[in-house]
Amino acid sequence: MSAAHSTSLRFPRLLLTGAAGGLGRELRRRLKAYCDVLRLSDIADLGAAGPGEEVMPVALENKAAVDALLKDVSAVVHLGGISTEHSFEEILPANITGTFNVYEGARRHGVKRIVFASSNHVTGFYRQDEVVGTDVPMRPDGYYGLSKAFGENLAQFYWDRYGIETVSMRIGSSFPEPRDRRMLGTWMSYDDLERLVVSSLTAPVVGHSVIYGISDNATAWYDNSKARHIGYRPQDSSERFRAAVEARQPVIDTKDAGLIHHGGGFVKQGPFDKT
Amino acid sequence: MSAAHSTSLRFPRLLLTGAAGGLGRELRRRLKAYCDVLRLSDIADLGAAGPGEEVMPVALENKAAVDALLKDVSAVVHLGGISTEHSFEEILPANITGTFNVYEGARRHGVKRIVFASSNHVTGFYRQDEVVGTDVPMRPDGYYGLSKAFGENLAQFYWDRYGIETVSMRIGSSFPEPRDRRMLGTWMSYDDLERLVVSSLTAPVVGHSVIYGISDNATAWYDNSKARHIGYRPQDSSERFRAAVEARQPVIDTKDAGLIHHGGGFVKQGPFDKT
Amino acid sequence: MSAAHSTSLRFPRLLLTGAAGGLGRELRRRLKAYCDVLRLSDIADLGAAGPGEEVMPVALENKAAVDALLKDVSAVVHLGGISTEHSFEEILPANITGTFNVYEGARRHGVKRIVFASSNHVTGFYRQDEVVGTDVPMRPDGYYGLSKAFGENLAQFYWDRYGIETVSMRIGSSFPEPRDRRMLGTWMSYDDLERLVVSSLTAPVVGHSVIYGISDNATAWYDNSKARHIGYRPQDSSERFRAAVEARQPVIDTKDAGLIHHGGGFVKQGPFDKT
Amino acid sequence: MSAAHSTSLRFPRLLLTGAAGGLGRELRRRLKAYCDVLRLSDIADLGAAGPGEEVMPVALENKAAVDALLKDVSAVVHLGGISTEHSFEEILPANITGTFNVYEGARRHGVKRIVFASSNHVTGFYRQDEVVGTDVPMRPDGYYGLSKAFGENLAQFYWDRYGIETVSMRIGSSFPEPRDRRMLGTWMSYDDLERLVVSSLTAPVVGHSVIYGISDNATAWYDNSKARHIGYRPQDSSERFRAAVEARQPVIDTKDAGLIHHGGGFVKQGPFDKT
Amino acid sequence: MSAAHSTSLRFPRLLLTGAAGGLGRELRRRLKAYCDVLRLSDIADLGAAGPGEEVMPVALENKAAVDALLKDVSAVVHLGGISTEHSFEEILPANITGTFNVYEGARRHGVKRIVFASSNHVTGFYRQDEVVGTDVPMRPDGYYGLSKAFGENLAQFYWDRYGIETVSMRIGSSFPEPRDRRMLGTWMSYDDLERLVVSSLTAPVVGHSVIYGISDNATAWYDNSKARHIGYRPQDSSERFRAAVEARQPVIDTKDAGLIHHGGGFVKQGPFDKT
Amino acid sequence: MSAAHSTSLRFPRLLLTGAAGGLGRELRRRLKAYCDVLRLSDIADLGAAGPGEEVMPVALENKAAVDALLKDVSAVVHLGGISTEHSFEEILPANITGTFNVYEGARRHGVKRIVFASSNHVTGFYRQDEVVGTDVPMRPDGYYGLSKAFGENLAQFYWDRYGIETVSMRIGSSFPEPRDRRMLGTWMSYDDLERLVVSSLTAPVVGHSVIYGISDNATAWYDNSKARHIGYRPQDSSERFRAAVEARQPVIDTKDAGLIHHGGGFVKQGPFDKT
């Protein structure tokens, strides 16, 4: 595989959290091209360390362990935590406490750049006929989205007080291909994911910047015009999947909240409260 | 002719009003690819019905006839009415009453999506050095533009109260080629017209959306960024006509209201009042 | 009654249309202070002309009669037409054709300033927790609102092409007192109505300006900050009626569209189509 | 004490959390005028229940206890939790988990309106020469501010998914008098606090609305124009304290981050991490 | 005369430039209440120094003399230069070079706050039916306005690079009373001028802030909402002069550029080029 | 060399000022394709006039000489003056007085279109993580930037009062290739410079339009969406230089003002005051 991004910058040590997840496994093999050592972490099994890899399993809610994780790191790609909707009680330690621990570790060890896997679910309650920029009020569509909103606010705070820079990527739907008509708008190819992550790592000045992570799809309800300083130029598009996707899902019920919002079915999940 | 748009969606019955007009004749042959039956209507002669066609001549101000027109229809492309500047008295029945009749018919027969041929003349009194989005205050440049403004407001109302969705296409200048320097900005090719109409018919969620109908022209004074959820990606450009057009019209008199506004000569027509 | 507005300007002849209606009767006695002759018109009975009055009954859809009405007039306060929700067929002649006739008459007779009684129903489909300015997209809540939206666009057009100035007053609820909790937001006292009308007549430069017509209510969902050049400073407030109104209507059902939108019950009226 | 707000609405049972805190004690005696029963809760001692009072001590992180708290409640004024800067580990259970528990209780028991004591520290990292509205991106100035930002996002979510309405009051500095020059801008008198809380409880339609809680101070860096539907009209001003406050603090060092931001000294607190 | 502003702050030495002009003479007697020593400068005769006064005549284009003027100064009220329209060649040394000299002197001598007499003529080419905020693009109406625009940009630059704070007061028409109907909008009483200047001197944090200098006039085309951190609350209004002014100027010719723009007659002055 | 722009328009006589500078030499050979006579001016040596050239050396502060320069000219490309940071005293005559002289000459000789070489340094004090449009408040980063800000305001004034049109090109970094990482954002190729200048000369209606002059770089902090009426479509990109530039400058110190602002090192130059 040749690198999707043309940078010549190379980091001594990158930390990738959530490296055992779907996007983590993709980025594990892709980020090697941009660093000397790739430190991998997850609570799930990561297998053996390959060449140029370090494997450090941690639970993100373990503050001491996360602190160790951040030591000697040049920059972080933080995918770790729960990546779909769960109960508040499950989301809280992994995503809220865990992300706090990552930023505290970064502060203590002098790490200056974090690429944070935020989510389209931070703004999931906008309708699909509303095109939104990166500075609209948050409208999370569940506990997962709330935890990502918390992470973005945390990133803003660590920038404002401590000068730690973050790019919060509001990732759409990064899969091999779009699964339904909503994903014709939210899809991001793995190559574009790599482009976005590497742009975010290498852009000279980002402060705390928010950007929607989608490919160059014809259909979109996101406006990244305030994030062009990051230098992300997607090269793929969901358009080649349109006919197949539409054939599978010809009808949209515009009364169905799960079909008409940015966040799709997330807006209807729960309640997770079983009492 | 191969279809300009990659959708696989197919409508049982589409209604095309104004099918005998300039754009109507273009769309008559192009829309067949996207439906089982194409119902055609106009007050002018439509010739015989071809394969997969139904021909239903009506005067749009005839409420009962229009009501029949909407029966059993999946979606509507409403081009009907007077399409250039005329007196208020001529515009009123065809464009204002007529469009009301179409929406009432849609409401009564449960039709849920209308693609409405609005016009750049809804905002024709902006200057050509003002780039406008789809949510600026309307500035119609004549009775025709006023009738299209009425139609857009009607569409918004039928969405807000009845849940009938509309894409209001503010069509620029859809001709085989741009005729003057203004049209270098407002031109839309017929292939792009087809792309826009089909995108508008097939976009999953549109509520009431407004979009300017132009090709990917280098010169433009429209900003469609709030309408990217529709999925319209123009593929043509007026640029290849630039040299010829400029040669024919080398001079622009910036004191001439008819040359410096979005709406061109429309801003100066009338008065139609002969008393 | 002493005049509510401190202007010293006096018009040779003012035309007041709709002079037999609720607001018309109020303004009939109030506007005399600001003109030599007050020409009164309505389709309903106006009684005999008092001192300084001229009575000219007309149906607004009668173009010739309206043309005569505008002769020798200094400025117009145009309240005429149907002022509540009715069927489209009833609204059309009085409000759409009628207002066109008034502007055509003004154009032909060189009248340069019109104060147009528009309505909060032009934007009636905004929710009561949305504060809107005077330049948001129109969202009419019925045929009445659509006709007022048409009137505003017409006013913009006669300004852009012919230099006839208009203040479009989006009147809230001008009654002796607010009748329900929505009117705590939309209420305008008659004294404030007089202030608004006279400000609109006498402001030096208005082009086409839009302003919401409400008193200085504590509760409001309108923002007139773009209209402060008109010089309207309301002096009354609905606050003194709060306790009584709340006692009569203690509960708001936030599922009831007719209780939560700017336009109140208008948003639910109709359909007027009886077939 | 006579009531500061003119409403005639009266709630069967109001819940006041954080009733033992500074603002809680003020509101405890003031809210009785607006309800039959005032249910009081805090983790600190609340003393004995007075007439019309119920006392229910709970720790907000105790989900079951909070659930019981919400039973049979008409509306909630949620002040509970830690109200100044502390470590993340202290803030988390009281403010983040605790507020979640309150909203879950409200959802389960059908409570439809919550007045949430948010804070100016949600936007504390704006400079004092930046005037901000209620829809600017959040810039929390510490863990306390982050927890209030979380609460606002939670409120938005419970409105979007469950239709529970919230007014998030971004309270400035509600003390008997302003203590320093920053508080000349952020001060809110207790009478105005009462006005704001009662307006928030009684406004007919609020969805999720954000409003800054300050008096009618001459100096201010907040713009509440998007929240005027709530009907809050402050009657007090910090101006009468100006001379005394300026005499005590004549000099502002514009290099001192703690003196020039909205959030004042909060922006510099911490780190709370002792390792 | 009692002070119009309630501050208790007192400056060791204030510099007032342009102290011999119309506003300078007013402020000369008013600013004494706020400082130990008032240093006065002008190119015109200032008379003898009164108690607590220092008189230092300079030509503002004399860099060395201006440098001496700034020595030992706590803050500056910079009114100096030509205050009405003149030729570019006259405006240049006094207003452009002169203001540069003042800022260079401030930088060299560590002066940290300047109150700059800018002008409504910085935005004089907006129409009187356009309400503008403090961040709209500049539209100067002549060489005088251009020089004030230069001064504002200079102030922004000295803030951005050197941390010298400025309030740029875009003064409307500060005279004993409004002279024409435009001044009903632009008038500022001398008491309000004092309030604005003292607010600008004493506001804790201003960076570079722009504010329109007008009284609380009913008619206005300025929006100071972004400048409320300065704490300026005008107490006067042009309304009591309305009847007299309107009687003197009953007619506005809306074709006359000098009557319909913010800048009034300034927009039509010149050309000053005599060749 | 073939022309980079497809226009067929040809000017009888174009004036190019600053023709001996870096961009001037590039445009000297490129503009010949678009005019019959190219009048060249500079204070530096221009060599002999080639075919179709006129050479007229002038110092821009010489009003009479500049007046002669504008005689019989169809349009102007005004690059003249000092093009990097210098002391105020050096910048003043060449850039401020000089540009005034050019506009006065244009006014006197009836020249109706000027393309003005403004600069990114007009907004140089924005940070590189702030994407700015063409209507944000100016934030010049030095005397050079101040002079260009003055030129833009002058252009606006000559349009508002005299109807002389200008495109103010805020040129980024037009060199053979980008020299550092900031220039990956600001770079404009010479071919794109030609495209921009010719678009600006030939766009039918520009009033006073501002546009940022950069190529189609992946990294950018400018938003030209309000200037698309000019018809500028860049064809080059800095991306092919990325690897080499990053290799030369791998590290950005985000504490270094000269590395993190739009204006780069300009923000730190000076003081030029030697006393």
Side-chain angles (χ1 to χ4, degrees), chain C:
Chain C
M1 164 179 293
S2 63
H5 193 283
S6 64
T7 187
S8 65
L9 297 175
R10 197 173 170 83
F11 295 85
R13 178 178 281 104
L14 283 180
L15 167 64
L16 176 67
T17 71
L23 300 189
R25 288 191 305 269
E26 272 299 319
L27 288 175
R28 179 176 180 170
R29 59 193 191 89
R30 291 168 179 269
L31 289 181
K32 286 180 186 169
Y34 308 99
C35 59
D36 299 333
V37 178
L38 182 62
R39 178 174 293 173
L40 303 163
S41 179
D42 204 297
I43 195 171
D45 182 39
L46 287 158
E53 290 184 347
E54 292 175 348
V55 169
M56 294 179 65
V58 304
L60 290 169
E61 58 268 39
N62 182 333
K63 189 172 187 177
V66 172
D67 185 76
L69 202 58
L70 271 293
K71 189 162 184 299
D72 297 327
V73 157
S74 320
V76 183
V77 179
H78 177 44
L79 310 182
I82 294 176
S83 64
T84 56
E85 186 60 331
H86 284 69
S87 74
F88 176 77
E89 286 77 4
E90 292 165 293
I91 293 284
L92 186 71
N95 290 22
I96 290 184
T97 300
T99 300
F100 164 73
N101 287 341
V102 168
Y103 275 85
E104 269 299 277
R107 180 185 69 76
R108 286 171 35 87
H109 292 288
V111 181
K112 288 316 220 186
R113 175 76 56 96
I114 297 176
V115 179
F116 172 54
S118 183
S119 168
N120 73 84
H121 296 289
V122 168
T123 49
F125 252 115
Y126 286 94
R127 281 175 50 99
Q128 290 175 17
D129 53 340
E130 294 178 287
V131 175
V132 302
T134 48
D135 55 0
V136 296
M138 294 166 167
R139 297 185 68 176
D141 57 19
Y143 303 125
Y144 172 66
L146 278 162
S147 76
K148 292 301 183 182
F150 178 85
E152 290 191 8
N153 282 332
L154 191 76
Q156 179 68 42
F157 166 63
Y158 274 82
W159 163 245
D160 280 332
R161 187 185 281 166
Y162 300 114
I164 297 173
E165 293 189 293
T166 296
V167 174
S168 289
M169 309 180 297
R170 291 185 181 165
I171 296 172
S173 307
S174 199
F175 298 109
E177 54 183 81
R179 298 172 179 166
D180 56 22
R181 288 174 70 185
R182 170 180 163 269
M183 289 193 190
L184 291 177
T186 59
W187 184 68
M188 178 165 54
S189 72
Y190 292 142
D191 278 357
D192 280 341
L193 170 68
E194 178 183 339
R195 287 182 187 101
L196 175 53
V197 169
V198 178
S199 295
S200 299
L201 283 168
T202 60
V205 182
V206 300
H208 175 228
S209 295
V210 175
I211 186 168
Y212 291 99
I214 60 169
S215 281
D216 184 31
N217 305 324
T219 298
W221 40 78
Y222 300 123
D223 181 348
N224 273 332
S225 60
K226 292 286 186 197
R228 56 182 68 171
H229 59 287
I230 294 170
Y232 170 57
R233 285 272 175 108
Q235 302 295 326
D236 295 316
S237 165
S238 66
E239 205 60 16
R240 64 194 164 98
F241 303 105
R242 178 177 294 279
V245 167
E246 289 179 339
R248 282 204 304 274
Q249 187 192 19
V251 175
I252 301 291
D253 176 2
T254 60
K255 304 288 189 204
D256 183 339
L259 295 180
I260 64 172
H261 288 98
H262 290 190
F266 274 56
V267 308
K268 295 200 301 182
Q269 288 193 43
F272 289 90
D273 179 56
K274 303 310 184 304
T275 57

Side-chain angles (χ1 to χ4, degrees), chain D residues 143-257:
Chain D
Y143 303 124
Y144 172 67
L146 278 161
S147 75
K148 292 302 184 184
F150 177 85
E152 291 192 8
N153 282 332
L154 191 76
Q156 180 67 42
F157 167 63
Y158 273 82
W159 163 245
D160 279 332
R161 188 185 281 167
Y162 299 114
I164 298 173
E165 292 189 294
T166 297
V167 174
S168 290
M169 310 180 296
R170 290 185 181 164
I171 297 173
S173 307
S174 196
F175 298 108
E177 54 185 80
R179 297 172 181 167
D180 57 21
R181 289 174 70 185
R182 170 180 162 269
M183 289 193 191
L184 292 177
T186 58
W187 185 69
M188 178 166 54
S189 73
Y190 292 142
D191 279 357
D192 280 340
L193 171 67
E194 178 183 339
R195 287 182 187 101
L196 176 53
V197 168
V198 178
S199 295
S200 298
L201 283 169
T202 60
V205 182
V206 300
H208 175 227
S209 294
V210 175
I211 185 168
Y212 291 99
I214 60 170
S215 282
D216 184 30
N217 306 323
T219 298
W221 40 79
Y222 300 123
D223 181 348
N224 272 332
S225 59
K226 291 286 185 197
R228 57 183 68 173
H229 59 287
I230 294 171
Y232 171 57
R233 283 273 176 109
Q235 302 296 327
D236 294 316
S237 164
S238 66
E239 205 60 15
R240 62 193 165 100
F241 303 105
R242 177 177 296 280
V245 168
E246 289 180 340
R248 283 203 304 273
Q249 187 192 19
V251 176
I252 301 291
D253 176 2
T254 60
K255 303 291 189 202
D256 184 340

Side-chain angles (χ1 to χ4, degrees), chain E residues 108-129:
Chain E
R108 288 171 33 87
H109 292 288
V111 182
K112 287 315 219 186
R113 176 73 58 94
I114 297 177
V115 179
F116 172 53
S118 183
S119 168
N120 72 83
H121 297 289
V122 167
T123 48
F125 253 114
Y126 286 93
R127 281 174 51 100
Q128 291 175 17
D129 52 342

Side-chain angles (χ1 to χ4, degrees), chain F residues 83-259:
Chain F
S83 63
T84 56
E85 186 60 331
H86 284 71
S87 73
F88 177 77
E89 287 79 3
E90 292 165 293
I91 294 283
L92 186 70
N95 289 22
I96 291 184
T97 301
T99 300
F100 164 73
N101 287 341
V102 167
Y103 274 86
E104 270 298 278
R107 180 185 67 79
R108 288 169 36 85
H109 292 288
V111 180
K112 289 315 223 185
R113 175 73 58 93
I114 297 177
V115 179
F116 172 53
S118 183
S119 168
N120 72 84
H121 296 289
V122 168
T123 48
F125 252 113
Y126 287 93
R127 281 175 51 100
Q128 290 175 18
D129 53 341
E130 294 178 287
V131 175
V132 301
T134 48
D135 54 1
V136 295
M138 293 167 168
R139 297 186 68 176
D141 57 20
Y143 303 123
Y144 171 67
L146 279 161
S147 75
K148 292 301 183 183
F150 178 85
E152 290 191 8
N153 282 332
L154 192 75
Q156 179 68 42
F157 167 63
Y158 274 82
W159 163 243
D160 279 333
R161 188 185 282 165
Y162 299 114
I164 298 173
E165 293 189 294
T166 296
V167 174
S168 289
M169 309 180 297
R170 290 185 182 165
I171 296 173
S173 307
S174 197
F175 297 109
E177 54 184 80
R179 296 171 181 168
D180 56 23
R181 287 174 70 184
R182 171 180 161 269
M183 289 192 190
L184 292 177
T186 59
W187 185 68
M188 178 166 54
S189 73
Y190 291 142
D191 279 357
D192 280 341
L193 171 67
E194 178 182 340
R195 286 182 188 102
L196 175 53
V197 169
V198 178
S199 294
S200 298
L201 284 169
T202 60
V205 181
V206 299
H208 175 226
S209 295
V210 175
I211 186 168
Y212 290 100
I214 59 169
S215 283
D216 183 31
N217 306 323
T219 299
W221 40 79
Y222 300 122
D223 181 347
N224 273 331
S225 60
K226 291 285 185 198
R228 56 182 68 171
H229 59 287
I230 294 170
Y232 170 57
R233 284 273 175 108
Q235 302 296 324
D236 294 316
S237 165
S238 65
E239 205 60 16
R240 63 193 164 98
F241 303 105
R242 180 177 293 279
V245 168
E246 289 180 339
R248 281 203 306 272
Q249 189 193 17
V251 176
I252 301 291
D253 177 2
T254 60
K255 304 289 190 204
D256 184 341
L259 295 179

